[in-house]
Amino acid sequence: MSETVAMRHPTLPADQEIEVPKDSVPHYTGAGWQMVPAEELEHRAELKAQAEAAAAEEAARQEAGTAAEPEDATAAEAAEQQAATEPEQSEPADMPTKPSRTRAKPKSTEEN
């Protein structure tokens, strides 16, 4: 397999990236694409490894029968705080109070 390189374009969102074969990099750089810095990729890999380790640890805890109650409590508190800070969804102020009228049927010309 050939190696791939992560690239992004300055006119696109920073999280919108593509992976291209290493041999194709000159083609993409000519079109304005830039390589994602190696430090950023290493940082992402570290975060991913930490998340996977935490998930494996949590799975092992649950398998052993001991649930992580403090983490569950903090997650519930965070959800409550988020719900409290979000504005309530209400009807827009410009909603009509009664339905619009429908058109009357045209009178038939064959009545006489």
Side-chain angles (χ1 to χ4, degrees), residues 70-92:
E71 291 178 16
D72 293 339
T74 57
E77 289 174 7
E80 288 177 11
Q81 288 178 347
Q82 184 178 6
T85 58
E86 291 179 1
E88 288 186 22
Q89 296 290 337
S90 61
E91 292 184 25

Side-chain angles (χ1 to χ4, degrees), residues 20-83:
V20 299
K22 196 172 189 176
D23 299 340
S24 299
V25 170
H27 170 72
Y28 285 92
T29 55
W33 290 85
Q34 301 168 349
M35 291 179 55
V36 178
E39 297 85 24
E40 185 176 334
L41 295 174
E42 291 171 2
H43 180 67
R44 287 185 202 168
E46 289 173 8
L47 292 177
K48 183 177 180 183
Q50 289 174 356
E52 288 174 352
E57 184 179 317
E58 181 65 26
R61 258 194 235 145
Q62 287 185 359
E63 193 173 295
T66 57
E69 293 176 14
E71 291 178 16
D72 293 339
T74 57
E77 289 174 7
E80 288 177 11
Q81 288 178 347
Q82 184 178 6

